C-alpha cells in the first residue's frame, strides 16, 4: 500500500489556466489525494490578470513548462498520477517519457511530435492563431463564438458563455506554431517523445467524440505511435466536447481514469 500514489498532478492546456481544474481538484481531494495543479511559468496570477497582461503568456516556452512541473514532482515522496488536458496531455506524455509519474492520462490530448493527423475541425479551431505567421510572437485569444466551436460545442450557449468568462485566456501563438512546424523541421523539437521507451509509466488516452480541436483521430494516431512495451490504451466518450473536464458527467470520467491509473500504476 505504501507504493500506491497519493498525489495527483493536473496539467492544464492552452486558452485556460489551472482554474479549469477547480472541480477536479475538489473531487480528488475529497477522495483523500493531495492534488497539484501547476500553472505555466508566470501563471501564478489569476485569469483576469493574464487577460490584462498577455506578455506573461508570450514569455512561456514548452521547456519552461516542463521544467517547472518536473521540479514540483521531484519534491514528492512518491511518483504521482499525472493527468493532462489538451496541450497538457502532450506535456503529460513528455513528463512520462522523462521518467516522471506512476501513471499518466492524456485527455483530449494535443499530439506529440510525429503525429500528422490534421482533421478539418482542428484547422478551423486553431485558425485564429495559425492564420498569420505574425501570431508566433503574440498571445492570441478566442472570441466567444470561436471558443464555443473549439471547446464547448456540445454545451448550451449559457454554459459556454459562463465558462468562457471564467476560464478563457489568450494562448501562446509561438508554441502553437511550433507544434505545427515540429514535423517539418530536422531534429527533435519541444514536443518530441521516445515512442520506444520501455521504461515509461502506463499511459491512457481519453477522447471526447465531439471534440473539434483535438478529435479522437488524433489520440488514436498518437497512441499507435508508441511501439514500446509500456502500457498504452485509449478510450472514447460519446457526446463529449473538448472541455470535457467541465461537461456534465465529468465526475464519472474523473473516477474512471483514476481507477485506471491506480490499477496500472507502477
Amino acid at each position: 500500500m505504501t507504493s500506491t500514489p497519493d498525489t495527483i498532478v493536473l496539467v492544464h492546456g492552452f486558452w485556460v489556466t489551472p482554474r479549469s481544474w477547480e472541480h477536479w481538484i475538489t473531487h480528488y481531494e475529497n477522495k483523500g489525494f493531495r492534488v497539484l495543479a501547476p500553472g505555466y511559468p508566470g501563471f501564478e496570477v489569476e485569469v483576469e490578470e493574464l487577460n490584462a497582461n498577455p506578455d506573461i503568456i508570450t514569455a512561456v516556452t514548452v521547456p519552461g513548462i516542463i521544467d517547472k512541473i518536473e521540479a514540483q514532482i521531484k519534491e514528492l515522496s512518491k511518483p504521482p498520477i499525472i493527468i493532462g488536458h489538451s496541450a497538457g496531455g502532450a506535456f503529460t506524455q513528455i513528463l512520462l517519457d522523462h521518467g516522471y509519474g506512476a501513471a499518466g492520462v492524456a485527455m483530449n490530448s494535443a499530439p506529440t511530435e510525429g503525429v500528422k493527423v490534421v482533421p478539418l475541425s482542428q484547422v478551423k479551431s486553431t485558425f485564429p492563431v495559425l492564420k498569420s505567421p505574425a501570431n508566433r510572437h503574440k498571445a492570441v485569444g478566442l472570441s466567444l463564438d470561436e471558443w464555443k466551436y473549439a471547446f464547448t460545442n456540445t454545451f448550451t450557449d449559457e454554459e459556454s458563455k459562463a465558462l468562457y468568462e471564467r476560464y478563457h485566456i489568450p494562448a501562446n501563438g509561438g508554441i502553437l506554431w511550433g507544434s505545427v512546424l515540429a514535423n517539418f523541421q530536422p531534429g527533435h523539437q519541444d514536443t518530441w517523445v521516445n515512442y520506444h521507451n520501455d521504461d515509461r509509466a502506463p499511459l491512457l488516452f481519453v477522447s471526447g467524440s465531439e471534440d473539434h480541436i483535438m478529435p479522437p483521430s488524433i489520440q488514436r494516431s498518437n497512441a499507435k505511435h508508441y511501439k514500446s512495451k509500456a502500457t498504452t490504451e485509449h478510450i472514447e466518450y460519446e457526446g463529449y466536447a473538448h472541455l470535457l473536464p467541465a461537461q456534465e458527467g465529468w465526475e464519472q470520467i474523473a473516477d474512471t481514469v483514476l481507477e485506471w491509473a491506480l490499477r496500472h500504476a507502477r
Side-chain angles (χ1 to χ4, degrees):
M1 292 299 293
T2 57
S3 63
T4 301
D6 58 7
T7 302
I8 299 171
V9 177
L10 302 173
V11 186
H12 68 88
F14 293 158
W15 285 292
V16 296
T17 73
R19 184 187 287 181
S20 62
W21 288 115
E22 57 186 342
H23 302 304
W24 288 57
I25 293 171
T26 302
H27 187 73
Y28 285 147
E29 286 179 341
N30 288 339
K31 292 180 177 291
F33 289 90
R34 178 186 183 189
V35 183
L36 305 178
Y40 303 159
F43 279 41
E44 295 80 14
V45 298
E46 289 292 348
V47 167
E48 293 76 15
E49 173 64 20
L50 289 168
N51 279 308
N53 185 13
D55 288 345
I56 298 173
I57 299 169
T58 58
V60 170
T61 66
V62 172
I65 294 169
I66 298 301
D67 287 347
K68 179 180 179 182
I69 299 173
E70 289 181 350
Q72 293 192 26
I73 294 176
K74 287 177 182 177
E75 296 179 355
L76 302 175
S77 60
K78 292 188 289 187
I81 294 167
I82 305 174
I83 302 175
H85 174 252
S86 195
F91 300 152
T92 296
Q93 295 180 63
I94 295 170
L95 291 165
L96 264 59
D97 185 47
H98 288 184
Y100 294 92
V105 179
M107 301 175 58
N108 289 351
S109 180
T112 43
E113 185 178 334
V115 179
K116 299 179 180 180
V117 175
V118 185
L120 288 177
S121 65
Q122 184 187 46
V123 175
K124 181 177 179 179
S125 297
T126 56
F127 186 71
V129 176
L130 302 180
K131 65 183 178 182
S132 172
N135 286 336
R136 295 179 69 177
H137 309 288
K138 299 178 181 177
V140 183
L142 301 175
S143 69
L144 178 57
D145 286 343
E146 290 166 345
W147 165 270
K148 182 168 178 59
Y149 181 82
F151 276 74
T152 56
N153 51 295
T154 61
F155 293 61
T156 67
D157 289 343
E158 293 76 13
E159 290 170 335
S160 184
K161 184 174 185 294
L163 292 167
Y164 178 78
E165 293 174 348
R166 180 150 182 79
Y167 294 155
H168 171 267
I169 63 167
N172 183 305
I175 295 178
L176 284 166
W177 266 98
S179 67
V180 171
L181 298 174
N183 292 327
F184 304 98
Q185 295 178 324
H188 299 329
Q189 305 302 307
D190 288 343
T191 57
W192 180 84
V193 296
N194 178 9
Y195 292 120
H196 298 271
N197 183 359
D198 290 334
D199 294 327
R200 169 185 57 77
L203 172 62
L204 173 67
F205 285 93
V206 175
S207 300
S209 68
E210 307 307 309
D211 188 350
H212 280 166
I213 191 169
M214 297 297 170
S217 59
I218 294 176
Q219 285 88 60
R220 286 196 294 267
S221 178
N222 203 157
K224 289 179 181 178
H225 273 68
Y226 282 98
K227 307 300 182 184
S228 69
K229 298 177 182 178
T231 298
T232 308
E233 297 182 4
H234 173 252
I235 58 175
E236 181 177 330
Y237 285 94
E238 288 296 323
Y240 279 84
H242 186 64
L243 198 59
L244 181 151
Q247 187 168 340
E248 183 178 357
W250 64 264
E251 297 92 341
Q252 180 181 353
I253 297 175
D255 290 344
T256 299
V257 300
L258 175 60
E259 179 186 351
W260 186 95
L262 290 172
R263 187 169 67 250
H264 289 86
R266 64 179 187 180

